[in-house]
Amino acid sequence: MDFDLNEDQSLLRDSVERLAADLYPSLESRQARLKAPFGFPEEGWTAFAELGVAGLPFSEEEGGLGGGPVETMLVMEAVGRNLVVEPLLASLVLGSTALRLGGSAAQKARLVPGLVAGDLRLTLAHTERQSRYDLADVATAARRSGDGFVLSGAKSVVPNADAAGLMVVSARVSGERRDPRGLGLFLVPTDAAGVAVEAYPTQDGGRAAEVSFSEVQIPADAALGDPEDGLPLLERVVEHGIAALAAEAVGSMDALHKLTVEYLKTRKQFGVSVGSFQALQHRAVDMLIQLEQARSMALYAAMMVDTPDARARAAALSAVKVQINKACRYVGQEAVQLHGGIGMTLEYVGAHHFKRLAMIEYQLGDTAHHLRRITQDENGLLAA
């Protein structure tokens, strides 16, 4: 199988990497950007949009770049390597994937131009306080009313909700709380009457929000696809999110491993660099092995995320998340150990990579959750 990038992919990778490096030349510049109202300056988002990144998932006929999972992987690696805080995971991956896969032609015609231009941002509002990682566990209700719906309920840890113009909200039209049927996805403006957004910073430099819906009226055409069979679409969105997180983790681990090796070369002990100690060399090599295994899994995720076999796709993406989670923890903890005290100092960029990797480990499913998903499938990959 050919893993070489084509000319357009190489150009995209280099362009995004260059832009991210220009926007984030130092930890101090990142910390300054975090002080902007939404946790990132608008000009940064505009710069990504002008590069075409915001329209990456959509076809050229829809006004986008026509990119696929490989292009998204390249963008998210640059995000991880440079600790980018613009909401690319929330809007480019989660929100836009829901619209791309579930939206009607009319919905795309109305929304894609704004997304491509950078004037509109999306996010996914799904997690609830009781749901943990169960995608079917939804208590937020969408009651039919006339020719539309009325939403009531609450969502937790909604990524970048305060910076989004629209949320893709999961809500139950029928059935009991954990029923796989009766669940729909709806496009809800963040400024709609009855929507309350309580935003806060997260430990890794991002932002999230608690969002409540109090008798929020939305039209029938706000539904993405079948309003009573939205779980398969939600699963697809989360799978694309896992693939994107895998790529982001690889970028962050790559940067952290380089920082660690450079530190071992420059830190002196007993008159020599600590990198000359064989035991520390072995630990740095073990970090590299975990990184390269994670890189392989990120490539595997990009290959499998659009496969039509839902069962194989689900098992593959869970296997990816398990390995990525383990690599995030190993590389992050080893980097802190090999750096010593400086590894947890917030004035050092390595500590911020550690925090982001720790967060990725629990986003969209922790290790135990995805191991359970694999073992529940009779053709799972656990024994492989």
Side-chain angles (χ1 to χ4, degrees), residues 7-311:
E7 184 178 352
D8 289 341
Q9 290 168 339
S10 297
L11 180 61
L12 174 67
R13 178 197 60 194
D14 295 343
S15 299
V16 174
E17 189 67 49
R18 220 169 16 245
L19 174 59
D22 288 343
L23 293 175
Y24 296 87
S26 65
L27 176 60
E28 290 73 21
S29 65
R30 181 180 190 260
Q31 299 305 93
R33 299 178 72 79
L34 290 175
K35 296 177 182 178
F38 294 136
F40 62 93
E42 284 293 337
E43 58 265 26
W45 182 259
T46 301
F48 279 108
E50 290 175 347
L51 196 59
V53 171
L56 188 65
F58 301 102
S59 68
E60 294 180 8
E61 293 76 17
E62 295 164 338
L65 285 186
V70 172
E71 286 76 14
T72 301
M73 177 187 73
L74 298 175
V75 170
M76 293 306 296
E77 275 194 38
V79 167
R81 191 172 292 110
N82 296 278
L83 290 173
V84 171
V85 295
E86 278 77 8
L88 291 170
L89 177 66
S91 188
L92 169 68
V93 180
L94 299 176
S96 291
T97 297
L99 178 62
R100 177 175 64 87
L101 296 178
S104 65
Q107 289 169 328
K108 292 178 184 178
R110 187 174 75 250
L111 299 176
V112 170
L115 289 168
V116 172
D119 300 328
L120 174 65
R121 287 182 288 264
L122 296 174
T123 190
L124 176 67
H126 170 68
T127 302
E128 299 182 2
R129 293 186 179 183
Q130 82 289 340
S131 65
R132 191 63 172 169
Y133 302 121
D134 184 355
L135 298 184
D137 190 340
V138 174
T140 299
R143 186 179 74 253
R144 293 186 184 273
S145 176
D147 59 352
F149 299 88
V150 176
L151 264 64
S152 298
K155 299 293 180 179
S156 293
V157 202
V158 180
N160 301 101
D162 55 342
L166 280 175
M167 295 177 288
V168 178
V169 181
S170 59
R172 185 161 296 286
V173 178
S174 63
E176 299 300 321
R177 200 182 82 192
R178 294 188 179 91
D179 285 350
R181 292 281 302 179
L183 182 64
L185 295 182
F186 301 88
L187 292 167
V188 182
T190 52
D191 61 355
V195 175
V197 178
E198 183 180 349
Y200 48 85
T202 56
Q203 284 292 325
D204 57 350
R207 288 182 69 80
E210 303 298 297
V211 182
S212 62
F213 305 91
S214 178
E215 298 291 301
V216 179
Q217 297 185 356
I218 56 174
D221 64 1
L224 291 173
D226 186 345
E228 296 209 35
D229 192 25
L231 183 58
L233 174 58
L234 179 59
E235 290 172 341
R236 294 293 306 277
V237 171
V238 170
E239 287 162 0
H240 278 267
I242 290 172
L245 282 176
E248 183 185 353
V250 167
S252 183
M253 285 188 283
D254 185 36
L256 188 54
H257 179 256
K258 286 182 171 65
L259 281 171
T260 303
V261 171
E262 185 61 28
Y263 180 80
L264 294 178
K265 290 178 180 178
T266 56
R267 176 73 167 89
K268 301 287 186 180
Q269 189 74 36
F270 306 115
V272 298
S273 69
V274 295
S276 64
F277 302 153
Q278 192 175 56
L280 300 189
Q281 292 174 5
H282 288 173
R283 293 176 69 173
V285 169
D286 289 340
M287 288 176 65
L288 179 61
I289 291 171
Q290 288 289 328
L291 167 61
E292 292 306 314
Q293 288 178 339
R295 195 186 306 276
S296 296
M297 294 305 279
L299 286 167
Y300 182 53
M303 291 166 52
M304 291 297 294
V305 74
D306 274 338
T307 189
D309 187 333
R311 192 170 184 175

